[in-house]
Amino acid sequence: METINALGRRKAAVARVYVKEGAGQITINNRPIDVYFPSSILQFIVKQPLVKLGVEAKYDILVNLDGGGFKGQAEALRLAIARALVKINPEDKVALKAEGFMTRDAREVERKKPGQPKARKHFQFSKR
């Protein structure tokens, strides 16, 4: 099997994933997953599509992660892994879509407007 690549995004985070057959190693920016994401919750988020399909130990995953915070990066990585698994086996799409792993979360930060302290917040109005 050749290397399959996929892209996942969430907020400002971008995850580029390269999947090939192997022993279940996940390497993020040249570091193992437990070093890059010390939190077990974030590791769980990343591995959800693999666990759902029962292929945790079947593929080696090389990841290039950029931008955003750790939560956004973990969710971008989850989407990228799910998309790569669907490229490998299109029948898996139904199971992954039912869990919500194939959906791109399009929520982005709203821009700050001029003359205001934040995007929606306004300075206090003084009548006199």
Side-chain angles (χ1 to χ4, degrees):
M1 172 187 138
E2 75 281 352
T3 304
I4 304 292
N5 62 332
L7 184 76
R9 289 192 178 99
R10 169 78 172 99
K11 291 186 174 180
V14 179
R16 289 174 194 84
V17 166
Y18 304 93
V19 179
K20 62 181 181 195
E21 284 187 10
Q25 295 286 325
I26 301 177
T27 308
I28 306 168
N29 294 350
N30 298 320
R31 287 186 274 175
I33 186 171
D34 54 328
V35 173
Y36 195 87
F37 290 126
S39 166
S40 60
I41 295 164
L42 295 177
Q43 291 177 29
F44 172 76
I45 288 171
V46 168
K47 293 177 182 175
Q48 276 179 310
L50 299 165
V51 172
K52 175 69 181 168
L53 300 177
V55 293
E56 308 96 289
K58 192 175 177 186
Y59 300 112
D60 281 346
I61 302 173
L62 184 67
V63 183
N64 181 352
L65 257 178
D66 188 44
F70 48 84
K71 181 86 158 78
Q73 285 188 346
E75 292 182 7
L77 181 49
R78 178 176 70 184
L79 176 62
I81 290 171
R83 285 178 171 174
L85 292 172
V86 168
K87 278 186 180 178
I88 293 168
N89 187 3
E91 290 97 60
D92 293 336
K93 186 171 184 175
V94 177
L96 293 173
K97 197 169 178 74
E99 294 287 325
F101 301 148
M102 294 301 296
T103 307
R104 158 71 157 103
D105 192 342
R107 294 177 293 175
E108 297 280 336
V109 176
E110 188 174 336
R111 78 176 194 90
K112 181 194 171 298
K113 316 306 186 298
Q116 296 179 17
K118 292 169 119 182
R120 300 270 176 119
K121 190 175 182 180
H122 291 265
F123 290 114
Q124 184 172 340
F125 176 71
S126 172
K127 199 166 191 176
R128 289 172 193 67

